[in-house]
Structure formats: C-alpha cells, structure tokens
Amino acid sequence: MPDQHRQILAPLPAASSRILVRGATVISMDSEVGNLPQGDILIVDGAVAAVGLHLEAEGAEVIDAANMIAIPGMVDTHRHSWEGQLRRINSNAASLEDYCNATHFSFAKYYRPRDIYVGNMITALSCIDAGITTVIDNSHNSRTAAHSDAAVEALLDTGIRAVHAAGAPVSGTWDTAHWQGNLARLQDKYFKNHPDGLVTLAMMAQLEPDQWAVARELGIPIVTEFFGGGMAAELDDLHRKNLLGPDNIFNHCTCLPDAGWKILREAGVRVNVCPRSDAHYGIEDGMYAWQAALHHGIRPGLSVDNETSYSGDMFMEMRVAFYLQRVIGASRRLGGHHHAEAPTNAFRLLEAATIDGAACAGLGHRIGSLTPGKQADVVLIRADDLNLYPVNNAIGTVVHAAERSNIDTVIIGGRIRKRGGVVLGVDREKLRSVIDESCTHLFNAAGYQPDPFAESFAPIHLA
C-alpha cells in the first residue's frame, strides 16, 4: 500500500499497561461475573484482570465511568468491508440482483488496491465508532496480491479486531494466478508471527471442497454465503464425506429445512444471520434465520452484511431482529400455531451481538464477555445523554435506545480507540479527501452519474 494512503491514521498508541474503568453500570455477559449497578473493570496488559467493587490498581490510568454503561465490544460476524465508500448508494434495493448491480457488476472491477484500503479503513473506523470491536471481513474483491495486502493493512492500521476472509471476485477479470498461493502468502506475510494478534486470516469461498482443502491445510476458517433454500441439497453429500466442520462459518442460512439444520448442528458449523440484509434484499423468503437456528440448538451471531443500502451499526441490527421475531411469533399464534415461539427479550439480542458473535468468529475464548482472563474489548455508553437518561433498565437502554453518538469510549485489546466520543488518531480532513478521491475514481471509471435523490430500487445507471 503506498505510504501516502497509510498516513491518514496516526500510529496506534501503545496500550496502557493498566486501565481502571471506575463506577460503570456493568453488563458483563458472563453469568458468573454477573452485572453490577456500579462497578469497576481492571485491565492489565490488554486483558480483563478483575470486575468488581472498589477495585484498586496503583499507577493505573483511570477512566471515570460514572453514569456510563459498560458492555463487551460488539461483534459483526459478516461484513463486506471493501464496499465502505459505496454507502447507501442503493438504498431502495429490493433484490440480490440490485445489490450485485451496485457492487460486483459495476464498481468492483474498477477497484484499485488503494480503493480496497479506503473501503476497509472507513468500515473499520465506523465499526469502532459504533462499538463494534470485532468484524469478520468478507473480502470478495481482492483482484491481485496488492489488493489483498491493502485489505489486511487497513484493518491493521485502524486497530480493530478482525477476521479477514480473503475471497475471489464475483465478476470481471482478476489475477487468477495469485490466488493459487494467496492465502499462504498472506499468512506468511502478516499472521505467521502474530497468531494471537488482533487480525487473523480466513478464506471466503462457496461450497467448494477443493478450495476448502487449502484453508484446512493452513488451519484457517472458511466463510460461505449460504442460502438454505437453494443450496441445502448439497449438504448431505458434504456431511457424508466429513467435509463440514466447526471451521465452517455460514452466512444467512435462510429457508434451510430441518434436515439441513440437523446437519449443521451435527457438523458444528458456525452460523450468522442478517436481520436487515435478508429483509432488504428479499433473500429467499426475506426472513432472517435466527429463530430457526435457535430451534435447532445453534446460537448464531448477528451481522450487518454491507452498508450499500443501510447503516452499519449493531444497535439497529438488534432492534430489527427483536421486532421481526416478535412479529412472526404473533402472526403464527394468530394463525392458530399454539406452539409458536415466545417473544424474545432484549438480553437475548445483546447475547447475539456479543458472546454469540464471538463464538461465531471462533473467538469466544478471547472476547464476547467481560470475563477475567479475556481480552479487554470494552464499550462505555453515556447513560446521562438526553436520549438515554433516566436509565430505568440498563439492558433495555443498550438494545432499544442507545446509538453510536452515545458511545463515549471504546477499548480494543486494552488499547483505547475512542475517547470522549471521538475515534482517536484520525485526520478527518485527509480521511474525507481520500474517500472523495476513491469515489470519484470509481464513479468515473464505471460511467456512473450519482443522484443524491434517487428513489428507484436500483439507482445505478452505468454507461
């Protein structure tokens, strides 16, 4: 990546050896730790050392968290980060075809490595800003080795925790020769000497066992866009050949019949669901598969998928998931289904956005809860802001009322990345400049004339 495009962000500061978060309302997401109306969190060398009352730590950097709610960092288990500069370009999309026309079949083929860097960078920064401390980066537009490097370097430079799932482009031409050894090259270059670093490696591929074998030789997870109604028939053969396992991460899983869910459970496949994406693009029946997964003993993570049509925060994902689940249950009961699922609650959705998302990412042993020994990924939400105060229910406030602007502090692996409501180390003038340059290049290359007031389902009119 050219140095001038990596100078938008200041070098990440070293993590304080000790941080004491004092006086927060703590939602730990750990039943043994519990929740505290007013408690402290001690962070030592990047990990949670203790959660309790009146903690002391000589020489620690103290964060006064009175009137704040502390939660674990949220986890987005499926995001096409490279599309960051295409935000809301296709707000009224109504199908996967609309989405693909606005990404893969138009702008994607004109991405330079610097555009991949910019897309991943602004996605990662906005995740941090919104309290998402971990993202599974589904990178299906790395056309050359330089594109792949740019994607990884953007994640490293922002300081987000990420699983970078490198995948081949969907359309256009690309350097197919580099794919033969691209994953091994990335592992050697960025990850071999940092197996416990913030960014780790995965493969993005469809139901392609030959490709999966490469990932398995490297010991990395495999991410797949899986639509159950159209792809379920392939599961039985894969399962009989022992080609499905806990290293598989399936996105969407819409319309999957019971037999397919049984296979995923038996094989230990990890699942994430997309409340907004599935509804927005009418994927199969348009209903996210969270309740179906739970019914079959699988606890899925939640994912944003992309920002080309809507926002990139987990607060909205939890709310849409909450209400869709309740609407479907009420509709079933009204239709005489007396055993329809009971209405869900806010805590269950917060689990999906934190501890369950961590498990889906394969990081449940490291993040997802404020448990002593885990990495210190912590989000502090200002509870005395006008839209939140008074906080009569902390969990309800987080899930139903909080938003990005209420997030005061974000800590990732013991390093403070947002403080006082501002993401640290970002030159905003330079950031806007490189984003504008990238958009201008992509729009001109594709012959696209932007219309800020477009109302059509697919406002992409390419020359």
mmCIF file of all heavy atoms in Angstrom, residues 330-352:
data_model
loop_
_atom_site.group_PDB
_atom_site.id
_atom_site.type_symbol
_atom_site.label_atom_id
_atom_site.label_comp_id
_atom_site.label_asym_id
_atom_site.label_seq_id
_atom_site.Cartn_x
_atom_site.Cartn_y
_atom_site.Cartn_z
ATOM 1 N N ALA A 330 -46.153 -13.539 16.709
ATOM 2 C CA ALA A 330 -47.535 -13.087 16.873
ATOM 3 C C ALA A 330 -48.397 -13.535 15.702
ATOM 4 O O ALA A 330 -49.552 -13.952 15.875
ATOM 5 C CB ALA A 330 -47.572 -11.571 17.015
ATOM 6 N N SER A 331 -47.826 -13.449 14.495
ATOM 7 C CA SER A 331 -48.567 -13.873 13.310
ATOM 8 C C SER A 331 -48.885 -15.366 13.358
ATOM 9 O O SER A 331 -50.000 -15.794 13.016
ATOM 10 C CB SER A 331 -47.759 -13.541 12.053
ATOM 11 O OG SER A 331 -48.425 -13.982 10.893
ATOM 12 N N ARG A 332 -47.915 -16.154 13.818
ATOM 13 C CA ARG A 332 -48.135 -17.598 13.909
ATOM 14 C C ARG A 332 -49.204 -17.925 14.955
ATOM 15 O O ARG A 332 -50.057 -18.790 14.730
ATOM 16 C CB ARG A 332 -46.815 -18.311 14.242
ATOM 17 C CG ARG A 332 -45.852 -18.407 13.053
ATOM 18 C CD ARG A 332 -44.493 -18.920 13.473
ATOM 19 N NE ARG A 332 -44.556 -20.177 14.172
ATOM 20 C CZ ARG A 332 -44.675 -21.377 13.596
ATOM 21 N NH1 ARG A 332 -44.763 -21.448 12.273
ATOM 22 N NH2 ARG A 332 -44.700 -22.480 14.315
ATOM 23 N N ARG A 333 -49.142 -17.242 16.080
ATOM 24 C CA ARG A 333 -50.160 -17.502 17.105
ATOM 25 C C ARG A 333 -51.539 -17.090 16.625
ATOM 26 O O ARG A 333 -52.532 -17.784 16.886
ATOM 27 C CB ARG A 333 -49.782 -16.761 18.397
ATOM 28 C CG ARG A 333 -48.628 -17.430 19.171
ATOM 29 C CD ARG A 333 -48.399 -16.789 20.522
ATOM 30 N NE ARG A 333 -47.851 -15.444 20.390
ATOM 31 C CZ ARG A 333 -46.561 -15.179 20.247
ATOM 32 N NH1 ARG A 333 -45.677 -16.169 20.203
ATOM 33 N NH2 ARG A 333 -46.137 -13.936 20.158
ATOM 34 N N LEU A 334 -51.625 -15.974 15.916
ATOM 35 C CA LEU A 334 -52.900 -15.536 15.371
ATOM 36 C C LEU A 334 -53.435 -16.545 14.358
ATOM 37 O O LEU A 334 -54.649 -16.727 14.232
ATOM 38 C CB LEU A 334 -52.737 -14.168 14.710
ATOM 39 C CG LEU A 334 -54.022 -13.490 14.213
ATOM 40 C CD1 LEU A 334 -54.965 -13.184 15.384
ATOM 41 C CD2 LEU A 334 -53.684 -12.199 13.469
ATOM 42 N N GLY A 335 -52.520 -17.221 13.674
ATOM 43 C CA GLY A 335 -52.931 -18.221 12.691
ATOM 44 C C GLY A 335 -53.206 -19.587 13.293
ATOM 45 O O GLY A 335 -53.401 -20.558 12.556
ATOM 46 N N GLY A 336 -53.218 -19.685 14.621
ATOM 47 C CA GLY A 336 -53.577 -20.942 15.269
ATOM 48 C C GLY A 336 -52.413 -21.823 15.646
ATOM 49 O O GLY A 336 -52.614 -22.956 16.098
ATOM 50 N N HIS A 337 -51.159 -21.340 15.490
ATOM 51 C CA HIS A 337 -49.987 -22.134 15.870
ATOM 52 C C HIS A 337 -49.716 -21.901 17.357
ATOM 53 O O HIS A 337 -48.996 -20.976 17.742
ATOM 54 C CB HIS A 337 -48.770 -21.737 15.033
ATOM 55 C CG HIS A 337 -48.938 -21.996 13.574
ATOM 56 N ND1 HIS A 337 -48.669 -23.220 12.998
ATOM 57 C CD2 HIS A 337 -49.359 -21.193 12.570
ATOM 58 C CE1 HIS A 337 -48.898 -23.162 11.695
ATOM 59 N NE2 HIS A 337 -49.332 -21.938 11.406
ATOM 60 N N HIS A 338 -50.313 -22.737 18.182
ATOM 61 C CA HIS A 338 -50.260 -22.512 19.628
ATOM 62 C C HIS A 338 -48.874 -22.749 20.220
ATOM 63 O O HIS A 338 -48.620 -22.378 21.368
ATOM 64 C CB HIS A 338 -51.288 -23.410 20.324
ATOM 65 C CG HIS A 338 -52.689 -23.178 19.847
ATOM 66 N ND1 HIS A 338 -53.328 -21.966 20.005
ATOM 67 C CD2 HIS A 338 -53.571 -23.988 19.188
ATOM 68 C CE1 HIS A 338 -54.541 -22.035 19.486
ATOM 69 N NE2 HIS A 338 -54.712 -23.253 18.974
ATOM 70 N N HIS A 339 -47.983 -23.374 19.461
ATOM 71 C CA HIS A 339 -46.638 -23.623 19.962
ATOM 72 C C HIS A 339 -45.612 -22.679 19.322
ATOM 73 O O HIS A 339 -44.418 -22.977 19.294
ATOM 74 C CB HIS A 339 -46.235 -25.076 19.706
ATOM 75 C CG HIS A 339 -47.113 -26.062 20.401
ATOM 76 N ND1 HIS A 339 -47.113 -26.221 21.772
ATOM 77 C CD2 HIS A 339 -48.046 -26.927 19.914
ATOM 78 C CE1 HIS A 339 -47.999 -27.146 22.104
ATOM 79 N NE2 HIS A 339 -48.572 -27.594 20.995
ATOM 80 N N ALA A 340 -46.097 -21.553 18.823
ATOM 81 C CA ALA A 340 -45.187 -20.565 18.239
ATOM 82 C C ALA A 340 -44.218 -20.054 19.309
ATOM 83 O O ALA A 340 -44.519 -20.072 20.504
ATOM 84 C CB ALA A 340 -45.983 -19.405 17.656
ATOM 85 N N GLU A 341 -43.070 -19.604 18.858
ATOM 86 C CA GLU A 341 -42.024 -19.163 19.770
ATOM 87 C C GLU A 341 -42.502 -17.997 20.628
ATOM 88 O O GLU A 341 -43.206 -17.107 20.170
ATOM 89 C CB GLU A 341 -40.773 -18.734 18.992
ATOM 90 C CG GLU A 341 -40.114 -19.841 18.198
ATOM 91 C CD GLU A 341 -40.797 -20.138 16.868
ATOM 92 O OE1 GLU A 341 -41.744 -19.394 16.516
ATOM 93 O OE2 GLU A 341 -40.409 -21.107 16.195
ATOM 94 N N ALA A 342 -42.117 -18.010 21.891
ATOM 95 C CA ALA A 342 -42.453 -16.905 22.781
ATOM 96 C C ALA A 342 -41.686 -15.661 22.358
ATOM 97 O O ALA A 342 -40.612 -15.753 21.747
ATOM 98 C CB ALA A 342 -42.097 -17.279 24.217
ATOM 99 N N PRO A 343 -42.202 -14.492 22.673
ATOM 100 C CA PRO A 343 -41.479 -13.255 22.331
ATOM 101 C C PRO A 343 -40.093 -13.236 22.967
ATOM 102 O O PRO A 343 -39.911 -13.639 24.113
ATOM 103 C CB PRO A 343 -42.364 -12.150 22.917
ATOM 104 C CG PRO A 343 -43.727 -12.757 23.005
ATOM 105 C CD PRO A 343 -43.508 -14.206 23.304
ATOM 106 N N THR A 344 -39.109 -12.792 22.208
ATOM 107 C CA THR A 344 -37.752 -12.718 22.730
ATOM 108 C C THR A 344 -37.591 -11.528 23.656
ATOM 109 O O THR A 344 -38.507 -10.718 23.806
ATOM 110 C CB THR A 344 -36.732 -12.649 21.577
ATOM 111 O OG1 THR A 344 -35.419 -12.853 22.088
ATOM 112 C CG2 THR A 344 -36.802 -11.300 20.870
ATOM 113 N N ASN A 345 -36.425 -11.389 24.272
ATOM 114 C CA ASN A 345 -36.177 -10.249 25.148
ATOM 115 C C ASN A 345 -34.867 -9.577 24.768
ATOM 116 O O ASN A 345 -34.056 -10.116 24.007
ATOM 117 C CB ASN A 345 -36.171 -10.682 26.614
ATOM 118 C CG ASN A 345 -35.073 -11.692 26.914
ATOM 119 O OD1 ASN A 345 -33.889 -11.395 26.801
ATOM 120 N ND2 ASN A 345 -35.466 -12.897 27.303
ATOM 121 N N ALA A 346 -34.651 -8.380 25.322
ATOM 122 C CA ALA A 346 -33.509 -7.571 24.932
ATOM 123 C C ALA A 346 -32.187 -8.246 25.262
ATOM 124 O O ALA A 346 -31.231 -8.183 24.474
ATOM 125 C CB ALA A 346 -33.593 -6.202 25.611
ATOM 126 N N PHE A 347 -32.096 -8.905 26.404
ATOM 127 C CA PHE A 347 -30.836 -9.544 26.787
ATOM 128 C C PHE A 347 -30.425 -10.603 25.773
ATOM 129 O O PHE A 347 -29.245 -10.730 25.440
ATOM 130 C CB PHE A 347 -30.960 -10.173 28.173
ATOM 131 C CG PHE A 347 -29.687 -10.810 28.656
ATOM 132 C CD1 PHE A 347 -28.615 -10.028 29.062
ATOM 133 C CD2 PHE A 347 -29.551 -12.189 28.691
ATOM 134 C CE1 PHE A 347 -27.427 -10.615 29.497
ATOM 135 C CE2 PHE A 347 -28.370 -12.782 29.115
ATOM 136 C CZ PHE A 347 -27.301 -11.986 29.524
ATOM 137 N N ARG A 348 -31.393 -11.337 25.264
ATOM 138 C CA ARG A 348 -31.079 -12.396 24.292
ATOM 139 C C ARG A 348 -30.457 -11.801 23.025
ATOM 140 O O ARG A 348 -29.551 -12.388 22.441
ATOM 141 C CB ARG A 348 -32.350 -13.190 23.965
ATOM 142 C CG ARG A 348 -32.097 -14.397 23.086
ATOM 143 C CD ARG A 348 -31.225 -15.424 23.800
ATOM 144 N NE ARG A 348 -30.642 -16.372 22.868
ATOM 145 C CZ ARG A 348 -29.505 -16.173 22.204
ATOM 146 N NH1 ARG A 348 -28.809 -15.072 22.348
ATOM 147 N NH2 ARG A 348 -29.053 -17.089 21.381
ATOM 148 N N LEU A 349 -30.941 -10.626 22.623
ATOM 149 C CA LEU A 349 -30.362 -9.991 21.436
ATOM 150 C C LEU A 349 -28.973 -9.442 21.726
ATOM 151 O O LEU A 349 -28.095 -9.476 20.861
ATOM 152 C CB LEU A 349 -31.290 -8.875 20.946
ATOM 153 C CG LEU A 349 -32.339 -9.282 19.909
ATOM 154 C CD1 LEU A 349 -31.697 -9.836 18.657
ATOM 155 C CD2 LEU A 349 -33.329 -10.286 20.462
ATOM 156 N N LEU A 350 -28.749 -8.961 22.950
ATOM 157 C CA LEU A 350 -27.415 -8.492 23.302
ATOM 158 C C LEU A 350 -26.424 -9.656 23.340
ATOM 159 O O LEU A 350 -25.253 -9.506 22.970
ATOM 160 C CB LEU A 350 -27.448 -7.768 24.647
ATOM 161 C CG LEU A 350 -26.175 -7.010 25.045
ATOM 162 C CD1 LEU A 350 -25.770 -6.005 23.976
ATOM 163 C CD2 LEU A 350 -26.363 -6.313 26.388
ATOM 164 N N GLU A 351 -26.891 -10.830 23.762
ATOM 165 C CA GLU A 351 -26.041 -12.019 23.683
ATOM 166 C C GLU A 351 -25.635 -12.292 22.240
ATOM 167 O O GLU A 351 -24.476 -12.605 21.946
ATOM 168 C CB GLU A 351 -26.775 -13.236 24.252
ATOM 169 C CG GLU A 351 -26.885 -13.269 25.752
ATOM 170 C CD GLU A 351 -27.560 -14.548 26.230
ATOM 171 O OE1 GLU A 351 -28.626 -14.913 25.676
ATOM 172 O OE2 GLU A 351 -27.023 -15.188 27.153
ATOM 173 N N ALA A 352 -26.607 -12.207 21.317
ATOM 174 C CA ALA A 352 -26.308 -12.475 19.911
ATOM 175 C C ALA A 352 -25.273 -11.500 19.369
ATOM 176 O O ALA A 352 -24.428 -11.865 18.536
ATOM 177 C CB ALA A 352 -27.590 -12.404 19.091
#
